Amino acid sequence: MAGSARERQFLDPAVLARLGTLELKARTVVEGLLTGLHRSPYKGFSVEFAEYRQYMPGDDLSTVDWKVYARTDRHYIKKFEEETNLDCHVMLDISASMGYVGRGISKLEYGQYLAASLAYLMNRQRDAAGLITFDERIVTMLSASARSGHLGALLVTLDRVRLGHATNVSKPLHQLADSLSKRGLVVMISDLLDDPESVVKGLRHFRFRGTDVVVFHVMDPDEIEFPFERVTRFEDLESHEEVLAVPALVRAHYRQGIDALMERYKRELGVAGIDYHLIRTDQPLELALTAYLTTRGRSF
Amino acid sequence: MSLLSPLFLIGGLAAAVPILLHLLKRHPDAAVMFSAVRLLRDAPVEQASRRHLRELLLLALRVAALLCCAVAFARPYFAAPAGEGGAALAVALDTSFSMSGRGRFERARAMAVDAIDRAEPGTAIAVVAFNDTAEVVSGLSTDRALARAAVAGLRPTAGGTRYRAVLSTAAELLRGRTGALVVVTDLQSRGWEASDRAVWPASLDIRVADIGPPTDNLAITAALATADRIVSTVRNFSEKDVDARLHLDVGGTADMQRGMPAGDLRVRVSAGQSAQVGFPRPQGRWAVVRVADGEGAEADNNRYVLLEGVSQPRVLVVTASGELSHEAFYVEQALTASAAGKPAAYAVVGAAASTLGGWDEAKLEAHAAIVLMSTRGLDHRGRERLAAYLRRGGGALVAAGPDVDSDVLAELIGAGRVTLVPPTVGGASAPQTLAPGDFRHPVLQGFSGQASLSLAVFRRVSEMRVAGCATLARFTGGQPALVECETGQGRALLFGADLDGRGNNFPRQATFLPLLHEAVRYLAGDRKALDVLVAHAPSGVPPVPGVAPLNPAEQGGPLVAVNIDPSESEPARMTTQRFQQSVERVDTAAPAAAVTLATEREAQQHLWQYLLVAMLVLLLVESVVSMRTA
C-alpha cells in the first residue's frame, strides 16, 4: 500500500512557485495529494456506470467487481459517472496586506496557488467551482460552474489577479452571502487582518444562509514570529502608516497581539461552526487541501 | 597641555570615520513594508527624536574614544604652570655647624631673605638647605612668603660642608630654566674635596653670598679612651691665647644622653694651637668631653667617647652550626685570650651561617669584625647582609677551608676576584708552610725577621686563583695563603686553609694567636671603637652628636658614639673666585634640556594612562547604548 499523506514529501510552496502555469501547479498539487490518499476521493454521488478500472490500493473494496474477478482473476472496480451537487466558491483576499513577502512567496501568491488547487480539485470532483476576489469590495467574481472550460477561465482569472487596496472583508462577504441562491461551500483565503468582529459577522451570514464555510487564514512566518532584529521603520502595506520600532522591545507585545487575534478567530469561528485553518506560507499546499477534503467529506 | 609626540594626533583623523558614516547613513533604519503594523501601534516604539539624540550620543562617544586614543599616543602632559619653566632662583643656605657661631646664622638667614627679595617679580624661588647633603626645603614657587618662611625655619646642624651636594641638587631643581643659584655660606675650604667634581649648566648663574670669616672658636677635636685615661685634644681657632675649661661627664645605661660630672680641667691653649688633656678614666659605658665656648660653633664643643667598646670589641664567628667549641675552638680561644689581670681582647660571638639571613643591619654592625669559618646554610639574604656589611666598611676573615663555597665567596667580595678550589678531604699532598710576602702589611708587620710562621705545617690547602686582590702571603708550594680583597669601604682577608686545625697544625703554633689578633685588629679598624661621624651614622641611629644604642631593640647592647666631623671646625676659607673656579660649567643645549624636561613631566604625569582608561570607559558606554539602540 502506498504511504499516507502525512508521510509524503509535500511540495515546498517556494518550489511550486517555480513551476510553469497555474494549472500545472494546481494539477501537481492535487494529483500528488490524491495519489497518496488511502481512500479514493473519486467517490461519486451518481449511480451511472462509467468504466472499469484496475484496483488501486486505497480504493473502496465495496466497489470491486467480483464477477470480473471470477472471470479474469484480476481485481477491477466499477467507476460511476460523478455528478456534482455542490457549489463551491473560493473567496480570495487580494488586499494590499496580502502582498507581504517574507522569506518565501507572498501571501497572495500562496492564496492563488491554493485557490487554483482547490478549483482543480473541485473540478475533478465534479463540484461547481466559483471564484471571488476582493479587497474592500468584490473585484472579480466567477459564478460556480462545473462546465468544461470553466476551470480554465477560473485559472486565467486567478493568474491575472493583482493586489488591491485596503481590506474590508465584511462588505464582500455580505454581498456574496446575499447573492448565493443555493446552499454550498465557501472557501475563504485571507490574512484576516481586519476587524475580527466584522469578519466573523460576515462569515456567520453564510452559515445563516446554510452555506458551509472553510477559512484559510494565510500568514507569513514573519507575521507570526516577528523575527526582525535591527531597528526598523515599519510601513503598513495598506494605510502606509509608519512606525519606527526596536524589534527586541516590541516583539513580545506584537506576538501577544497576533496570537490573540488568531486565537480569537479560531474560537469565534469554531463557535459559529466554521472551519478555521491557519496556514503559513512556508507550509505545503497539500495540508490546506487535506483540510478542505476533510470538511468536504464531513459535510456531504 | 603640551604633547610629546604630536604626530600621533594624525591618528585623530580616524574620528572622521564615524562622523562620515553618520552623515552617509542618515537613515540607518531598515524599512519594511509590513502588513500588521496596527499591532505595533500600542507597543513601546522608539521615538524618533529620542533615537536621534541617542545616535548623536553614540557618535559623540565613538569620536571621543578615537580622539582619546590618538591623544594618548601623542603622550600629553601639562606644561609648566605659571612661573615654572621661566626664571627661577634657588637660594641655598649652608647649615653646617661652622655657621653656628654667635650671630652668624642669623646673618646668613638675612642674606638669604635679601636674595629672595631681590629676585625679579614672577621668579620662581626655591630654598635648599645643605651640609654634607642637600635638601630642598621649599620647592620652586612664586610665593616669596613661602620661601622666607622656609629660610626662617632653618637652623644650624651638626653636619659638615659639601658644596658638590648642593650644586647637584640645585642643577636638578633648575633644569630647563633660566636663573641663578645663590649660595649663602662661610666659604669653608673643606667644602670642596680633592675628588669633587661639580658640573653646572652654563646657562645658569651662581652667586655666592659670603657671611664672613668665623668667629673665635674652641673645639674638642679628639677624645680617646685608653686603659686608664681619657685623652682629649682641644684646639684654639682664634688669634689670642685662651684658658680653656674642659669638663668630663660620664654616662651609664640608665640615662643615655645626660652624663654625670666626672672631672674638670683648665688648660691654656695658644692661638691657633691645640692642647691635650687627660682625665682619669671613670667607670661607665661612655663619656663626653666638653669645652666652654660662648663665641664659636657649639657643635664642636663636645666629643663623645665609648668606654666599654674600646677594650673589648665584639667579633662574630660564623660556623655551620654556631657551636664554637666544636667548629671554631682554636679561634675562640685565641680571640678571648687575655694577659694576666686584663680583660679578654675580644668578645667572641658565635652564629650559625643559616641564621644570618634573619639578622638586621644594626645587629651585624655591632660586631667589629667577622670570622667566616663556614658558608654552609648561608642563604641568599644572609649573603646580602654580609656583603652589605663589607661594603659599609666592615671586615671579614674568611677561612677558606672545605666548608667555604667559592660561589658564596664571589657574592661577598665580587665575582671573579678569587676562585676557590677547596682542599680535597682526605687527599694527600706535600706538607707546606707559610711564606709571608709583604712584611710591610699591618697584619704581617709583627712577624718580620722571624721564621716562626714557617713552623706551621699545612697538609691540605685551598687553591685560590686571585684576580684583583692582593696576595699577602703564600704557601711554600707557591699557592696564595693570605689574600686581601677590598670591597666597598670594607675589606676581607682570605686565608687558604682551615683555622680549626683540619689539615694543618697552625692553631697549635705560637704564631696563630698573634696572627689572628693582628688580622682581626686590622679588619676591625676604627669600627672597634664604634665611633662614627654624624654623616655616617648607621641606620637606626640618629645623626646627631651623642651616644645611642646600636640596636634599640637590644637592651644593654653595644653603643655607638656619634660625633661631628672635626675638620668642619677648620676655619680655612676660600675666595668667591676660587669657589666659582671650582665649578665646571658645561653647555647643555637648551632644546635637548627642554625635551628632557618634557619627557620627565610626561613620565611623572602619565596622562596617557588616564586617556586610555577614558577610552575604554567610552567604548563600554558606547557598547551599552549601542546594544539598546540596535
Side-chain angles (χ1 to χ4, degrees):
Chain A
M1 301 286 281
S4 69
R6 288 178 187 168
E7 293 164 346
R8 274 180 44 79
Q9 186 68 41
F10 292 134
L11 273 175
D12 188 320
V15 175
L16 188 66
R18 292 199 290 271
L19 294 178
T21 62
L22 198 57
E23 183 180 357
L24 177 60
K25 289 168 183 160
R27 189 190 305 155
T28 303
V29 173
V30 173
E31 298 295 348
L33 173 72
L34 296 183
T35 304
L37 289 180
H38 281 283
R39 287 173 57 84
S40 171
Y42 297 97
K43 181 181 178 182
F45 302 92
S46 170
V47 292
E48 189 177 342
F49 174 77
E51 59 179 349
Y52 281 109
R53 173 171 71 78
Q54 196 162 10
Y55 172 80
M56 289 177 66
D59 288 338
D60 192 348
L61 286 175
S62 64
T63 60
V64 175
D65 191 331
W66 300 106
K67 292 178 181 176
V68 175
Y69 172 70
R71 284 200 301 270
T72 63
D73 204 23
R74 290 182 181 175
H75 290 105
Y76 284 93
I77 61 172
K78 286 186 279 189
K79 289 190 69 180
F80 297 90
E81 189 68 39
E82 298 169 71
E83 287 184 351
T84 183
N85 55 0
L86 180 66
D87 283 353
C88 291
H89 288 91
V90 178
M91 294 186 71
L92 176 62
D93 182 359
I94 61 166
S95 63
S97 63
M98 290 290 284
Y100 179 74
V101 184
R103 279 166 277 183
I105 59 176
S106 70
K107 290 186 287 184
L108 180 64
E109 287 176 289
Y110 193 91
Q112 284 175 293
Y113 303 158
L114 180 55
S117 301
L118 286 169
Y120 190 88
L121 181 60
M122 292 166 186
N123 187 260
R124 288 290 299 267
Q125 291 185 282
R126 299 292 189 262
D127 288 339
L131 174 69
I132 298 100
T133 64
F134 67 96
D135 46 16
E136 55 193 356
R137 58 185 174 83
I138 292 176
V139 177
T140 55
M141 182 169 178
L142 280 179
S143 299
S145 172
R147 285 185 293 108
S148 60
H150 183 70
L151 177 63
L154 192 148
L155 293 177
V156 168
T157 304
L158 267 179
D159 210 18
R160 291 178 177 171
V161 160
R162 295 293 177 266
L163 282 172
H165 304 100
T167 316
N168 185 357
V169 178
S170 62
K171 187 179 174 184
L173 285 179
H174 287 298
Q175 283 181 357
L176 183 63
D178 288 336
S179 66
L180 291 180
S181 57
K182 184 182 174 185
R183 292 175 57 194
L185 176 66
V186 169
V187 178
M188 189 173 80
I189 303 168
S190 170
D191 57 8
L192 298 180
L193 292 174
D194 199 354
D195 176 30
E197 190 176 342
S198 60
V199 172
V200 173
K201 193 175 177 182
L203 292 170
R204 275 181 179 160
H205 194 173
F206 286 104
R207 291 295 294 155
F208 179 75
R209 301 287 299 253
T211 301
D212 283 310
V213 180
V214 179
V215 174
F216 288 111
H217 188 179
V218 181
M219 295 286 280
D220 191 277
D222 288 359
E223 292 173 323
I224 298 173
E225 297 164 2
F226 203 71
F228 307 100
E229 295 295 336
R230 292 185 56 199
V231 176
T232 306
R233 194 179 299 277
F234 295 95
E235 182 179 349
D236 194 89
L237 285 163
E238 294 180 1
S239 66
H240 298 289
E241 174 191 6
E242 285 190 4
V243 172
L244 181 65
V246 180
L249 296 180
V250 302
R251 183 173 292 115
H253 182 273
Y254 174 86
R255 283 183 177 173
Q256 192 179 358
I258 201 75
D259 288 345
L261 182 70
M262 293 185 295
E263 185 60 31
R264 182 175 178 182
Y265 276 125
K266 184 178 180 182
R267 186 180 65 250
E268 293 189 7
L269 292 177
V271 169
I274 296 168
D275 282 351
Y276 169 84
H277 300 285
L278 175 66
I279 302 290
R280 292 163 50 122
T281 56
D282 59 349
Q283 286 180 327
L285 286 161
E286 287 89 336
L287 295 180
L289 295 182
T290 305
Y292 162 76
L293 287 173
T294 303
T295 303
R296 172 74 172 75
R298 190 176 61 235
S299 303
F300 304 95
Chain B
M1 181 180 284
S2 304
L3 299 169
L4 206 61
S5 308
L7 281 179
F8 275 101
L9 282 184
I10 295 172
L13 293 176
V17 174
I19 296 174
L20 283 174
L21 288 176
H22 179 79
L23 293 175
L24 291 174
K25 199 179 173 193
R26 297 295 289 271
H27 299 290
D29 315 319
V32 170
M33 300 294 288
F34 199 57
S35 49
V37 172
R38 68 189 179 94
L39 293 175
L40 296 171
R41 279 189 206 127
D42 302 328
V45 296
E46 178 84 301
Q47 295 296 325
S49 58
R50 193 172 165 188
R51 178 175 173 76
H52 185 61
L53 280 176
R54 193 173 285 182
E55 284 170 354
L56 286 178
L57 174 63
L58 274 176
L59 176 66
L61 288 169
R62 288 163 186 163
V63 169
L66 286 168
L67 288 178
C68 276
C69 184
V71 176
F73 274 92
R75 297 174 68 188
Y77 65 95
F78 289 111
E84 199 175 337
L89 175 72
V91 177
L93 185 55
D94 184 351
T95 58
S96 65
F97 75 79
S98 64
M99 301 282 287
S100 62
R102 177 176 289 180
R104 284 166 62 79
F105 203 72
E106 287 72 17
R107 188 158 67 249
R109 276 200 291 245
M111 295 174 79
V113 170
D114 182 59
I116 292 169
D117 292 341
R118 284 171 181 273
E120 293 290 327
T123 303
I125 300 172
V127 177
V128 181
F130 73 97
N131 43 38
D132 294 297
T133 59
E135 180 191 4
V136 179
V137 292
S138 172
L140 284 169
S141 167
T142 53
D143 186 353
R144 296 181 182 216
L146 195 67
R148 285 193 207 99
V151 170
L154 291 176
R155 298 284 182 277
T157 65
T161 306
R162 199 74 184 268
Y163 294 121
R164 192 182 69 174
V166 68
L167 289 171
S168 172
T169 302
E172 186 70 22
L173 193 64
L174 299 177
R175 188 158 59 160
R177 297 171 173 275
T178 58
L181 166 68
V182 175
V183 184
V184 183
T185 179
D186 56 0
L187 283 173
Q188 266 191 301
S189 297
R190 71 167 305 276
W192 288 115
E193 289 186 1
S195 58
D196 280 353
R197 178 175 180 268
V199 176
W200 184 254
S203 57
L204 295 171
D205 193 17
I206 295 180
R207 298 198 291 271
V208 177
D210 181 12
I211 68 162
T215 55
D216 293 345
N217 184 30
L218 281 175
I220 304 291
T221 56
L224 180 66
T226 64
D228 55 352
R229 292 164 65 84
I230 293 178
V231 181
S232 178
T233 304
V234 58
R235 185 163 183 190
N236 177 12
F237 292 107
S238 70
E239 296 176 347
K240 58 186 179 187
D241 297 350
V242 173
D243 282 328
R245 289 183 298 144
L246 285 83
H247 311 277
L248 178 70
D249 292 344
V250 63
T253 54
D255 190 341
M256 204 59 73
Q257 295 301 321
R258 296 174 60 190
M260 299 297 291
D264 288 308
L265 284 173
R266 189 179 284 269
V267 64
R268 186 165 187 79
V269 188
S270 303
Q273 299 298 313
S274 297
Q276 275 195 340
V277 293
F279 291 96
R281 176 172 174 149
Q283 293 294 317
R285 298 189 70 191
W286 58 272
V288 55
V289 182
R290 307 182 193 275
V291 63
D293 177 23
E295 289 291 324
E298 186 183 342
D300 59 4
N301 293 343
N302 307 315
R303 193 138 199 106
Y304 295 85
V305 59
L306 294 181
L307 301 178
E308 61 177 11
V310 177
S311 57
Q312 199 177 51
R314 301 213 300 186
V315 176
L316 175 66
V317 180
V318 180
T319 63
S321 67
E323 292 287 335
L324 300 189
S325 57
H326 292 99
E327 297 169 326
F329 174 77
Y330 293 108
V331 171
E332 183 184 21
Q333 293 302 316
L335 291 175
T336 56
S338 62
K342 290 194 173 182
Y346 297 99
V348 176
V349 178
S354 58
T355 62
L356 290 186
W359 287 31
D360 57 20
E361 183 183 315
K363 189 174 180 181
L364 207 56
E365 289 287 343
H367 300 91
I370 295 173
V371 179
L372 186 61
M373 305 279 287
S374 171
T375 58
R376 287 184 182 175
L378 187 63
D379 59 15
H380 182 66
R381 181 173 286 186
R383 297 173 201 175
E384 285 184 341
R385 290 267 185 271
L386 284 179
Y389 173 81
L390 290 176
R391 285 195 300 273
R392 286 194 302 269
L397 172 63
V398 182
D403 287 348
V404 173
D405 184 74
S406 184
D407 292 337
V408 176
L409 196 61
E411 280 193 51
L412 298 182
I413 62 173
R417 302 181 71 187
V418 174
T419 306
L420 204 60
V421 181
T424 307
V425 177
S429 60
Q432 303 180 62
T433 60
L434 278 174
D438 186 1
F439 283 115
R440 294 169 301 175
H441 193 275
V443 175
L444 300 175
Q445 212 169 18
F447 299 92
S448 60
Q450 298 180 20
S452 53
L453 278 175
S454 61
L455 294 176
V457 177
F458 296 85
R459 297 191 179 277
R460 287 204 306 267
V461 298
S462 295
E463 181 184 346
M464 293 192 287
R465 295 167 190 159
V466 181
C469 294
T471 302
L472 306 180
R474 291 181 181 276
F475 293 109
T476 47
Q479 295 167 348
L482 188 62
V483 173
E484 180 181 7
C485 295
E486 291 189 353
T487 168
Q489 296 176 354
R491 58 176 68 92
L493 287 175
L494 278 60
F495 190 71
D498 186 57
L499 288 178
D500 200 42
R502 287 181 294 179
N504 62 71
N505 65 357
F506 184 42
R508 294 189 292 277
Q509 299 298 315
T511 50
F512 179 73
L513 186 145
L515 186 69
L516 194 60
H517 273 240
E518 289 300 325
V520 169
R521 184 177 296 118
Y522 174 67
L523 291 170
D526 293 336
R527 295 174 66 85
K528 66 181 180 182
L530 289 175
D531 186 349
V532 298
L533 300 180
V534 170
H536 304 136
S539 61
V541 175
V544 293
V547 174
L550 192 59
N551 182 7
E554 188 180 356
Q555 285 289 336
L559 302 175
V560 60
V562 182
N563 285 299
I564 55 98
D565 185 353
S567 64
E568 180 65 20
S569 301
E570 287 288 342
R573 285 160 38 86
M574 65 172 72
T575 62
T576 305
Q577 290 75 19
R578 175 70 199 285
F579 182 96
Q580 298 280 13
Q581 289 165 1
S582 302
V583 180
E584 182 182 346
R585 261 83 171 174
V586 293
D587 262 328
T588 53
V595 168
T596 307
L597 192 66
T599 306
E600 283 182 358
R601 280 194 184 287
E602 194 274 338
Q604 287 167 358
Q605 297 170 359
H606 45 74
L607 297 179
W608 65 271
Q609 292 178 1
Y610 298 109
L611 284 166
L612 286 184
V613 170
M615 184 192 74
L616 290 175
V617 171
L618 287 169
L619 289 177
L620 188 67
V621 175
E622 191 271 344
S623 300
V624 173
V625 177
S626 184
M627 275 193 294
R628 291 176 61 86
T629 307

